[in-house]
Amino acid sequence: MALRETRKYSQGSALGGVNPDLASERQTPSFSVEKLTALLDGGEENTRIRRAVVEAIESDPVFSRENQYFQSQNEKYEAAVRKAVHLQKKVREMGWTENGPEFKYIYRALSGEVALLLHTIFMRSISVLGSDKQIAKWIPLAMQYQLIGSYAQTELGHGTYLQGLETTAVFDIATQEFILNTPQISAMKWWPGDMGRSATHTVVFAQLYVRGKCYGVHPFIVQIRSLWDHSLCPGITAGDIGPKMSFEHIDNGYLMLQNVRVSRENMLSKFCEVQPDGTYVRRGSQQINYLTMTAVRVALISHEAVIPLMKACTIAIRYSVVRRQSKLKPGEEEAKILDFQTQQEKLLPHLAAAYAFHFINNYLQDLFNRGYEEIQRENFNMLPELHAFSSGFKAIVTQYCASAVEVCLRACGGHGYSSLSGLPSLCTRILASCIYEGENTVLFLQTARFLIKCFIAASAGHPVPPSVTYLAAVKPGKCPAKSKFDFLSPDIYTQAYQHAAVRLISSTAAKLQALIQSGVKKHDAWNECTVQLVQAVKAHCHYITVKNFAETVERLETKGGIQQIMKHLCHLFALHGIFSNTGVFLHDGHISGAQMDMVTASYLDLLAVIRKDAVPLVDAFDFTDKTLNSALGSYDGQVYQRLYEWAQKSPTNTQVWMLYYSQATSALARAEIVCFSSNKSYTHKSGIRPFNS
Amino acid sequence: MALRETRKYSQGSALGGVNPDLASERQTPSFSVEKLTALLDGGEENTRIRRAVVEAIESDPVFSRENQYFQSQNEKYEAAVRKAVHLQKKVREMGWTENGPEFKYIYRALSGEVALLLHTIFMRSISVLGSDKQIAKWIPLAMQYQLIGSYAQTELGHGTYLQGLETTAVFDIATQEFILNTPQISAMKWWPGDMGRSATHTVVFAQLYVRGKCYGVHPFIVQIRSLWDHSLCPGITAGDIGPKMSFEHIDNGYLMLQNVRVSRENMLSKFCEVQPDGTYVRRGSQQINYLTMTAVRVALISHEAVIPLMKACTIAIRYSVVRRQSKLKPGEEEAKILDFQTQQEKLLPHLAAAYAFHFINNYLQDLFNRGYEEIQRENFNMLPELHAFSSGFKAIVTQYCASAVEVCLRACGGHGYSSLSGLPSLCTRILASCIYEGENTVLFLQTARFLIKCFIAASAGHPVPPSVTYLAAVKPGKCPAKSKFDFLSPDIYTQAYQHAAVRLISSTAAKLQALIQSGVKKHDAWNECTVQLVQAVKAHCHYITVKNFAETVERLETKGGIQQIMKHLCHLFALHGIFSNTGVFLHDGHISGAQMDMVTASYLDLLAVIRKDAVPLVDAFDFTDKTLNSALGSYDGQVYQRLYEWAQKSPTNTQVWMLYYSQATSALARAEIVCFSSNKSYTHKSGIRPFNS
């Protein structure tokens, strides 16, 4: 196995094979790496398909990410569009279909660095919100890319609060058109992806007015650029919103509308319609809309948070066994930095978290699939739970992963800070996941509403969704652990998490009630509880994650050492959570100070256990070198050689450049611009003689 | 006052004056903003001088940062060199001298975006490590910029562990020269600032060999580029290490040496010398070296951590009173987001921390100055304390500020993520401060060694430095607070912090001792305690910060409302620390669960108190709009207008760009490159007709 992988991954025969310090880490894994990979993929067959997709994408030069770290915003955008265009061709060539098994691996194989993703959202919103006639008209055009679609919801002044959108769409009975306007600067559409330069059409969300009456926000299909020459349509002002912390390959755009007229048929009208005479008709349930949001949030957990964390762990852990720095014992060789307890403590809990979140993501996918089936049968009962889960977990997982990726970066010291490590781009990109598709605090509070509602219902003996029945079954007892080994029991720690979640939810519910009873208005009371509500939701999500991890491990087969190592990781994840949030468990004495010392001891012991398998555990994520695109994280561990080779390709070393320099007594005082071209030709007027050597 | 500032700062008469939502926040501050600014500056006269320096710099177009967010790495480097060159002229013009009062404000006024800063380090190392003769030769040349100096210590394979450096310098008695070599790739100098493209000379740290014997790491002056044409000297390979997460304006470089010969006089020889016959002579104490490191660490706390946090707070808090999003109460206007408790909880504790760290920085400066005076008198007694303090506080302040700046960014939602907010550049830059000048974990553990030593000494009744005498005076008592109001007493919370620090230090010392007594080797035992040692150091630094804040407030004059608002901030900082680390205080029951609920209540109450003065508190930091360089944080609060104006200047909107587009049935399938020039000319072959409108 090791040999096969070495052959497969090593791109560095010129670099001298696998670094012995990394090779030695792979010699005696306690488990089968290949079996673990298959487990993560959901079966060997999936692994095979995934690898085939990755291979097809990575062997195609158009999808190369080789010089990515040297590109300007413009170049990144161009590359992403080129990839999007080429991808259509590739998909047909390879025979990958949207419902085929390969499709879901494409985005991963591209590391998300592709443009025109909003085109899919454009289509989805027409499919979900449009009438049959609208679907029949627009979807084929979009499928054939006769237009490029976008989705224009967010405005300069409004993100999370959709009711506050200011763009207007006034129905003109005379012409049977809607007149769209951006009434003031804060109403300008801002942030929509693919809209700055690419899109020809977009779905604009605007306040609908008929005969002076406002009917709230509705979606309208609007053409913004000519299909002839791509120039802006009359009444349209649009452009790129400029540089961002990441996502420079996407032309997030702005859009201003001045008396832009679209026909009556352009309002998406599955649920609401304006009839020719101006009569406003509403029909059916819009609840299904929540499902779209839920689907997007669940999907992003894996792609934008868990996979990036897995990559960061792979890079940081491989580097940490190659990097040797200072001596653990005098007289010995310098130690691998992963042998320092502090380094283990930085990285290994996050490795465990990557697994924990992978499994909670599977759980959410299952929940979503069940919910989806129910909804197909017009049963919307699961929607609140689904919505609450996807919100809470989107928030907690992105937040955790964002800070974990940053820890991985810092754990690599100076070299982690170099773009060539691949960590800065992971770090800046993942940060956005805390903001988009629902700002995390807003999402936490949506989940909080659900939990408080369920808590009150459960307390009154009413039925609640299965995932929150635990709220009714409060056991006030103390943790029974008597030694540090007792904390290696899922029953003990899962119970502790459950206890903490119930305590936080119930005490905040009590505070809320007390405030209201004391005369504080309901909304003010809610606001005064929000800091604690967020804590309660986090505790709830943490509990569910630990419980799900433990249950998943329980179900694993015992062969190949997989269950054993996953058990260790589950313990580590759970005890790290207690160790990092001791107060939550100590507060009412569920865990005592003495017991907390046992947690600490067990937790630190586990670090040393996981340490031994750290490299096999990241190898199992099965990222290719091209996917990681990291000078520090390659399979062969030839870190320094690769940093040097890559640095030499930097435009700062190859492009024409200018240097302020001098030629006289005071070099800087009479500075001149000397242009050095890449072939090292230069101009100068006079020189001073070297006074050294 | 408010009027004066409005006139001074408003750059936006075209934008329509100050946003009323921001203006209203300034109407009834509880204190004099101008007096608080003077306090932060250390007196009105300093404020006047600082403003004059800022004004001089910002009115000079060469120092403009206007298009900074749109620049490539090359352009940033060129601008930084241009500024460095121009700065020399400016300094002379203005009559600012190195020991004058203006000097220290220059770096702040430039926001650190200037090149050739390593030139100063080059000079300092010669002054400190060089003989009188060497100083006489090199310093005047450097002063007149006849050369550009750098400082080549870090290697690809070695950062923190200097003894491990691999570069060699072999003394050749025959020619009286040192022969410098990079024996393998990991020995390549990597990261030195200004070395990639600018420097002509550098101080190279290398292992000294005389007659086959290694004498350890020594500094050598080496010329790397011609003073005639700036080409690389024989035997030198050098270049830029490529893109980084930030600091793109600096040409961090690599350097490889192949049989580079420098004369015997080029080894800096204040403390060590190789005589012509090869005799190695060591003289004097090198302890003074520690002082340089200490000075650098103390200086960076303010410039690279506290000031950036102050800027981030200014941007985020001003934006949070301009941004209105969703309704706190139904039927009312949308609320300023700073009126949401969760938003207050994100920002206001960090605002308090900015003040806390400002004051601890003053404390460290005082300590350093006293230490410096002592050392001038050849008394090195204070060095260990100074070194421990500067290490621990460098680590804790940079770590805290880095994560606080990130919180500020996220608190601004999507717009915070735009580079134009100014927050991404603050965020990516400050992250580096956790790594350079001593990686934080390494620094924490250096402080830990000092604390453990002092704890053992104090326990044995031996004298210890004044700052750690508290370790001997352990009071095991419980916190006496009986109501939430009791926690607004510095005595109560300072005592709690002290108690926690002593507990963590003593329990870790006990664990260390127990391990050693059980037969674990000393170095292994130390490693097994490091995670807890880091916690103990953090608790110590947190305690000193709280104590110093409380004592500083005590000394303030009561006039002008300054003492009152600072008292609130001090409470907030202290209670936030307890609220965020409840376990540390609950562990042995010093604070009970019931008391912790009081802490929470008091803490949340304080948020509402500080909320009222939040804008005046950031106004007092007195950053100009040009310094903040933020579309969100300007004094006038014209957020949306400015975002739009700035975005239009983005190269993605103005430069020649290419778009993959189509002209036939399948837009993407037969994609063509269409070049759009900035004047919107374009090429196309045929077109499809618009099917909408």
Side-chain angles (χ1 to χ4, degrees):
Chain A
M1 209 322 273
L3 189 68
R4 194 190 67 71
E5 284 197 346
T6 307
R7 252 190 274 117
K8 182 175 163 212
Y9 287 90
S10 174
Q11 307 166 333
S13 57
L15 294 174
V18 176
N19 183 314
D21 279 338
L22 187 47
S24 69
E25 298 283 337
R26 295 179 173 126
Q27 270 166 7
T28 51
S30 78
F31 62 94
S32 156
V33 173
E34 190 67 15
K35 273 201 165 44
L36 183 52
T37 300
L39 171 70
L40 289 168
D41 282 322
E44 284 171 30
E45 176 61 8
N46 287 347
T47 300
R48 195 190 58 72
I49 295 169
R50 178 178 54 72
R51 285 181 179 160
V53 171
V54 169
E55 169 64 20
I57 297 280
E58 293 191 347
S59 63
D60 189 325
V62 177
F63 297 120
S64 167
R65 295 160 66 218
E66 201 182 330
N67 291 312
Q68 186 186 5
Y69 302 129
F70 306 132
Q71 289 172 333
S72 70
Q73 190 182 357
N74 269 326
E75 288 164 344
K76 283 179 181 152
Y77 165 69
E78 284 163 18
V81 174
R82 198 176 301 130
K83 287 179 191 181
V85 171
H86 189 66
L87 184 60
Q88 305 310 316
K89 214 187 292 178
K90 194 85 189 173
V91 164
R92 265 197 315 280
E93 255 176 46
M94 302 296 296
W96 297 335
T97 58
E98 207 173 328
N99 298 318
E102 294 89 0
F103 215 78
K104 62 178 167 178
Y105 298 119
I106 297 174
Y107 189 79
R108 170 171 167 158
L110 291 164
S111 293
E113 275 145 20
V114 61
L116 310 190
L117 293 174
L118 269 288
H119 191 68
T120 315
I121 310 289
F122 175 81
M123 286 199 283
R124 190 187 298 159
S125 49
I126 293 173
S127 306
V128 173
L129 304 173
S131 66
D132 291 344
K133 204 175 145 194
Q134 288 169 325
I135 293 173
K137 172 178 177 184
W138 293 99
I139 296 298
L141 293 170
M143 289 287 283
Q144 294 156 40
Y145 281 96
Q146 293 206 18
L147 55 82
I148 297 171
S150 176
Y151 183 86
Q153 181 178 295
T154 304
E155 296 176 357
L156 254 178
H158 283 92
T160 47
Y161 185 66
L162 294 187
Q163 295 161 261
L165 293 179
E166 297 175 88
T167 304
T168 57
V170 177
F171 187 56
D172 179 357
I173 296 183
T175 62
Q176 294 286 303
E177 289 172 323
F178 294 103
I179 310 165
L180 283 99
N181 269 295
T182 301
Q184 57 180 330
I185 189 152
S186 59
M188 200 182 253
K189 296 294 174 186
W190 198 269
W191 278 108
D194 301 332
M195 201 175 71
R197 298 157 68 165
S198 306
T200 61
H201 288 68
T202 188
V203 174
V204 170
F205 286 80
Q207 301 283 357
L208 168 66
Y209 285 87
V210 184
R211 290 204 192 90
K213 186 180 168 194
C214 181
Y215 289 88
V217 174
H218 289 72
F220 302 84
I221 297 181
V222 179
Q223 179 170 1
I224 60 174
R225 288 189 177 87
S226 159
L227 290 166
W228 178 266
D229 63 11
H230 211 65
S231 63
L232 292 170
C233 293
I236 300 289
T237 305
D240 185 283
I241 64 164
K244 296 146 290 186
M245 200 171 186
S246 180
F247 287 92
E248 297 214 310
H249 64 291
I250 299 295
D251 56 322
N252 297 89
Y254 60 79
L255 172 70
M256 197 165 14
L257 303 145
Q258 285 165 298
N259 292 318
V260 173
R261 289 176 169 262
V262 300
S263 86
R264 196 180 62 87
E265 285 77 28
N266 280 29
M267 181 173 117
L268 292 177
S269 58
K270 180 165 188 177
F271 300 107
C272 318
E273 194 181 8
V274 177
Q275 293 178 338
D277 65 349
T279 308
Y280 178 82
V281 182
R282 181 178 284 276
R283 56 177 161 244
S285 161
Q286 280 193 294
Q287 280 194 296
I288 194 115
N289 285 354
Y290 280 97
L291 201 69
T292 311
M293 257 193 307
T294 303
V296 172
R297 280 179 198 148
V298 171
L300 82 83
I301 287 175
S302 169
H303 283 301
E304 302 295 346
V306 183
I307 290 178
L309 175 57
M310 288 173 169
K311 288 182 186 174
C313 285
T314 306
I315 296 168
I317 286 174
R318 286 182 181 164
Y319 176 66
S320 294
V321 298
V322 167
R323 178 75 167 181
R324 287 178 176 273
Q325 200 77 174
S326 78
K327 302 179 181 185
L328 265 172
K329 293 167 203 171
E332 284 192 358
E333 191 184 8
E334 287 182 62
K336 293 176 173 183
I337 58 174
L338 196 57
D339 288 324
F340 291 95
Q341 191 190 46
T342 45
Q343 187 77 355
Q344 293 169 11
E345 215 265 324
K346 284 178 197 174
L347 299 177
L348 303 184
H350 296 328
L351 174 63
Y355 279 92
F357 293 146
H358 173 83
F359 294 127
I360 200 71
N361 182 54
N362 288 351
Y363 171 87
L364 287 173
Q365 287 287 357
D366 286 349
L367 193 73
F368 178 80
N369 293 340
R370 274 188 289 132
Y372 187 72
E373 278 170 29
E374 290 299 316
I375 286 162
Q376 300 291 72
R377 292 188 217 112
E378 299 278 308
N379 170 8
F380 296 103
N381 287 347
M382 273 183 74
L383 257 182
E385 190 188 11
L386 255 185
H387 182 246
F389 259 79
S390 65
S391 302
F393 278 102
K394 183 274 188 182
I396 202 162
V397 177
T398 56
Q399 196 139 317
Y400 188 101
C401 292
S403 73
V405 168
E406 192 186 303
V407 170
C408 290
L409 184 151
R410 284 203 262 144
C412 295
H415 295 329
Y417 196 78
S418 161
S419 301
L420 308 180
S421 74
L423 291 165
S425 52
L426 286 172
C427 194
T428 52
R429 179 176 171 135
I430 199 172
L431 206 58
S433 70
C434 300
I435 300 166
Y436 60 60
E437 295 302 335
E439 194 277 327
N440 279 356
T441 305
V442 174
L443 293 185
F444 277 131
L445 291 174
Q446 285 181 4
T447 309
R449 277 198 197 278
F450 170 80
L451 286 180
I452 293 291
K453 226 182 257 177
C454 291
F455 176 77
I456 293 169
S459 306
H462 299 309
V464 292
S467 61
V468 286
T469 47
Y470 80 92
L471 291 174
V474 191
K475 297 170 211 150
K478 304 283 180 197
C479 169
K482 291 195 171 52
S483 80
K484 67 176 181 176
F485 304 107
D486 290 342
F487 279 102
L488 301 178
S489 152
D491 286 348
I492 298 272
Y493 55 68
T494 306
Q495 180 54 37
Y497 274 97
Q498 186 190 96
H499 181 88
V502 173
R503 182 180 63 76
L504 286 166
I505 295 165
S506 63
S507 68
T508 315
K511 176 180 169 184
L512 190 62
Q513 210 164 3
L515 281 169
I516 293 168
Q517 278 170 358
S518 77
V520 178
K521 290 212 180 104
K522 217 174 148 186
H523 288 83
D524 289 327
W526 178 263
N527 191 24
E528 284 178 40
C529 291
T530 47
V531 166
Q532 287 150 297
L533 285 166
V534 169
Q535 288 187 321
V537 174
K538 286 181 182 171
H540 165 76
C541 293
H542 213 150
Y543 160 57
I544 301 286
T545 309
V546 167
K547 181 164 162 274
N548 179 64
F549 199 167
E551 287 170 358
T552 304
V553 170
E554 210 44 57
R555 287 193 302 269
L556 292 176
E557 50 173 331
T558 50
K559 285 189 300 189
I562 303 290
Q563 194 188 40
Q564 190 55 39
I565 187 70
M566 285 299 109
K567 202 174 268 179
H568 291 316
L569 278 180
C570 179
H571 298 340
L572 183 66
F573 177 75
L575 297 190
H576 173 254
I578 300 178
F579 177 77
S580 314
N581 300 282
T582 52
V584 170
F585 302 90
L586 290 165
H587 190 280
D588 64 349
H590 179 76
I591 291 182
S592 70
Q595 286 173 319
M596 197 53 84
D597 291 338
M598 298 171 197
V599 169
T600 303
S602 246
Y603 166 62
L604 295 176
D605 288 350
L606 278 167
L607 293 178
V609 172
I610 302 293
R611 157 70 188 89
K612 297 193 200 98
D613 280 316
V615 168
L617 280 168
V618 298
D619 284 351
F621 295 144
D622 202 32
F623 293 113
T624 63
D625 285 357
K626 283 181 179 170
T627 298
L628 292 175
N629 207 11
S630 164
L632 302 190
S634 294
Y635 190 83
D636 67 6
Q638 296 294 355
V639 166
Y640 301 134
Q641 185 74 37
R642 204 168 263 112
L643 270 175
Y644 180 43
E645 282 178 9
W646 290 13
Q648 289 172 79
K649 294 190 251 171
S650 168
T652 44
N653 290 319
T654 60
Q655 285 180 3
V656 174
W657 53 286
M658 309 206 314
L659 176 82
Y660 272 69
Y661 199 61
S662 88
Q663 74 296 341
T665 45
S666 172
L668 287 179
R670 300 195 235 147
E672 294 273 344
I673 299 172
V674 179
C675 290
F676 281 72
S677 76
S678 52
N679 57 13
K680 304 289 173 204
S681 74
Y682 51 83
T683 59
H684 63 89
K685 294 189 183 151
S686 67
I688 45 170
R689 312 179 56 147
F691 37 78
N692 170 38
S693 81
Chain B
M1 205 330 266
L3 190 66
R4 194 190 66 72
E5 284 196 344
T6 306
R7 253 189 273 119
K8 182 176 162 210
Y9 286 91
S10 175
Q11 307 166 331
S13 58
L15 295 174
V18 176
N19 183 313
D21 279 338
L22 186 47
S24 69
E25 299 281 338
R26 296 182 172 124
Q27 269 164 8
T28 51
S30 79
F31 62 93
S32 156
V33 173
E34 190 67 15
K35 273 202 164 40
L36 183 52
T37 299
L39 171 70
L40 289 168
D41 282 322
E44 284 171 31
E45 176 61 7
N46 287 348
T47 300
R48 194 191 57 72
I49 295 169
R50 178 179 54 71
R51 286 180 178 162
V53 172
V54 169
E55 170 65 20
I57 298 279
E58 293 190 346
S59 63
D60 189 324
V62 178
F63 298 119
S64 168
R65 295 161 66 219
E66 200 181 330
N67 291 311
Q68 187 186 6
Y69 302 128
F70 306 131
Q71 289 172 332
S72 70
Q73 190 181 356
N74 268 326
E75 286 165 345
K76 283 179 182 154
Y77 166 70
E78 284 163 17
V81 175
R82 199 176 300 128
K83 287 180 191 180
V85 171
H86 190 66
L87 184 59
Q88 305 311 317
K89 214 187 291 180
K90 194 86 189 172
V91 164
R92 264 198 315 280
E93 255 177 46
M94 302 297 295
W96 297 335
T97 58
E98 207 173 329
N99 298 317
E102 295 88 359
F103 216 77
K104 62 178 168 180
Y105 299 119
I106 297 174
Y107 188 79
R108 170 171 166 157
L110 292 165
S111 294
E113 276 145 18
V114 61
L116 311 191
L117 293 174
L118 269 288
H119 192 68
T120 316
I121 310 289
F122 174 81
M123 286 199 283
R124 191 188 299 161
S125 49
I126 294 172
S127 305
V128 173
L129 304 172
S131 66
D132 291 346
K133 205 175 144 196
Q134 288 168 325
I135 293 172
K137 173 178 176 184
W138 293 99
I139 296 298
L141 292 170
M143 290 285 284
Q144 294 156 40
Y145 281 95
Q146 293 206 19
L147 56 83
I148 297 172
S150 176
Y151 183 85
Q153 181 178 295
T154 304
E155 297 175 358
L156 253 178
H158 283 92
T160 48
Y161 184 65
L162 294 186
Q163 297 164 36
L165 292 178
E166 297 175 88
T167 304
T168 56
V170 177
F171 185 58
D172 179 357
I173 296 183
T175 61
Q176 294 287 303
E177 288 172 323
F178 294 103
I179 311 164
L180 282 98
N181 269 294
T182 301
Q184 56 180 330
I185 188 152
S186 59
M188 202 183 247
K189 295 294 174 186
W190 199 270
W191 278 108
D194 300 332
M195 202 176 68
R197 298 157 68 165
S198 306
T200 61
H201 288 68
T202 188
V203 175
V204 171
F205 286 80
Q207 301 284 358
L208 169 66
Y209 285 86
V210 184
R211 290 203 193 90
K213 188 181 165 193
C214 181
Y215 289 89
V217 175
H218 288 72
F220 302 84
I221 298 181
V222 179
Q223 180 169 2
I224 59 173
R225 288 188 178 87
S226 159
L227 290 166
W228 178 266
D229 63 10
H230 212 64
S231 63
L232 293 171
C233 293
I236 300 288
T237 304
D240 185 284
I241 64 164
K244 296 146 290 185
M245 199 170 187
S246 180
F247 287 94
E248 297 213 311
H249 64 291
I250 299 296
D251 56 323
N252 296 89
Y254 59 79
L255 172 70
M256 198 166 11
L257 302 146
Q258 285 164 297
N259 293 318
V260 173
R261 288 176 169 263
V262 301
S263 87
R264 197 181 62 88
E265 284 78 27
N266 280 31
M267 181 173 116
L268 292 176
S269 58
K270 180 165 187 176
F271 300 108
C272 318
E273 193 181 9
V274 177
Q275 292 178 338
D277 66 349
T279 308
Y280 179 83
V281 182
R282 181 178 283 276
R283 57 178 159 246
S285 161
Q286 280 193 294
Q287 280 194 297
I288 195 114
N289 285 353
Y290 279 97
L291 201 68
T292 310
M293 259 191 310
T294 304
V296 172
R297 283 180 194 146
V298 172
L300 82 83
I301 287 175
S302 169
H303 284 299
E304 302 296 345
V306 183
I307 289 178
L309 176 57
M310 289 173 168
K311 288 182 185 175
C313 286
T314 305
I315 296 167
I317 287 173
R318 285 183 182 164
Y319 175 66
S320 295
V321 298
V322 167
R323 179 74 167 182
R324 288 180 176 270
Q325 199 76 174
S326 78
K327 300 179 183 185
L328 265 173
K329 293 169 204 172
E332 283 193 358
E333 191 183 9
E334 288 182 61
K336 294 177 173 183
I337 58 174
L338 196 58
D339 287 325
F340 292 95
Q341 191 190 45
T342 46
Q343 187 77 354
Q344 293 169 12
E345 214 265 325
K346 284 178 198 175
L347 298 177
L348 303 183
H350 297 329
L351 173 63
Y355 280 91
F357 293 145
H358 174 84
F359 293 127
I360 200 71
N361 182 55
N362 287 351
Y363 171 88
L364 287 173
Q365 288 286 357
D366 286 348
L367 193 73
F368 178 80
N369 293 340
R370 274 188 289 131
Y372 187 73
E373 278 170 30
E374 289 301 315
I375 286 161
Q376 300 292 73
R377 292 189 217 112
E378 300 277 306
N379 171 8
F380 296 103
N381 288 346
M382 274 183 75
L383 256 182
E385 190 188 11
L386 255 184
H387 181 246
F389 259 78
S390 65
S391 301
F393 278 102
K394 183 273 186 184
I396 202 162
V397 177
T398 56
Q399 195 140 318
Y400 188 102
C401 292
S403 72
V405 168
E406 192 186 302
V407 170
C408 291
L409 183 151
R410 285 204 261 144
C412 295
H415 295 328
Y417 196 76
S418 162
S419 302
L420 308 180
S421 74
L423 292 165
S425 52
L426 286 172
C427 194
T428 52
R429 180 177 171 132
I430 198 172
L431 206 57
S433 70
C434 300
I435 300 168
Y436 60 61
E437 295 302 335
E439 192 277 330
N440 280 357
T441 304
V442 174
L443 294 184
F444 277 132
L445 291 174
Q446 286 181 3
T447 309
R449 276 196 198 280
F450 170 80
L451 286 181
I452 293 291
K453 224 181 260 177
C454 291
F455 175 76
I456 294 169
S459 305
H462 299 310
V464 292
S467 59
V468 286
T469 46
Y470 80 92
L471 291 173
V474 191
K475 296 171 211 152
K478 305 281 179 199
C479 169
K482 290 195 171 51
S483 80
K484 68 175 181 177
F485 304 107
D486 289 342
F487 279 103
L488 301 178
S489 151
D491 285 347
I492 299 271
Y493 55 68
T494 306
Q495 180 56 36
Y497 274 97
Q498 187 190 96
H499 181 88
V502 173
R503 181 179 63 77
L504 286 167
I505 294 164
S506 63
S507 68
T508 316
K511 176 181 170 183
L512 189 63
Q513 210 164 3
L515 281 170
I516 293 168
Q517 276 169 358
S518 76
V520 179
K521 290 211 180 104
K522 217 173 148 187
H523 288 83
D524 290 325
W526 178 261
N527 191 24
E528 285 179 39
C529 291
T530 47
V531 166
Q532 287 150 297
L533 285 166
V534 169
Q535 289 187 321
V537 175
K538 286 181 182 169
H540 165 76
C541 292
H542 213 149
Y543 160 58
I544 301 288
T545 308
V546 167
K547 182 164 161 273
N548 179 64
F549 199 166
E551 287 171 358
T552 304
V553 169
E554 211 43 58
R555 288 193 302 268
L556 293 176
E557 51 173 330
T558 50
K559 285 189 300 189
I562 303 290
Q563 194 188 39
Q564 189 56 36
I565 187 71
M566 287 298 110
K567 202 174 268 181
H568 290 318
L569 278 180
C570 180
H571 298 339
L572 183 66
F573 177 75
L575 297 190
H576 173 254
I578 301 177
F579 176 77
S580 314
N581 302 281
T582 52
V584 170
F585 301 89
L586 290 165
H587 189 280
D588 65 348
H590 180 76
I591 291 182
S592 69
Q595 286 173 319
M596 198 52 84
D597 292 338
M598 298 171 196
V599 169
T600 304
S602 247
Y603 167 61
L604 295 176
D605 288 350
L606 277 167
L607 293 178
V609 173
I610 303 292
R611 158 69 188 90
K612 297 193 201 100
D613 280 317
V615 169
L617 280 168
V618 298
D619 283 352
F621 295 144
D622 203 31
F623 294 113
T624 63
D625 284 357
K626 284 181 179 169
T627 298
L628 293 175
N629 206 12
S630 165
L632 303 190
S634 295
Y635 190 84
D636 67 6
Q638 297 295 355
V639 166
Y640 302 134
Q641 185 74 37
R642 205 169 263 112
L643 270 175
Y644 179 43
E645 282 179 9
W646 289 14
Q648 289 172 81
K649 293 191 250 171
S650 169
T652 44
N653 289 320
T654 59
Q655 284 181 3
V656 174
W657 53 287
M658 309 206 312
L659 177 81
Y660 273 69
Y661 198 62
S662 87
Q663 74 295 344
T665 45
S666 172
L668 286 181
R670 303 196 233 147
E672 295 271 345
I673 298 171
V674 179
C675 288
F676 282 71
S677 76
S678 52
N679 57 13
K680 304 286 172 206
S681 75
Y682 51 83
T683 59
H684 63 90
K685 293 188 182 151
S686 68
I688 45 172
R689 312 179 56 146
F691 37 78
N692 171 39
S693 85

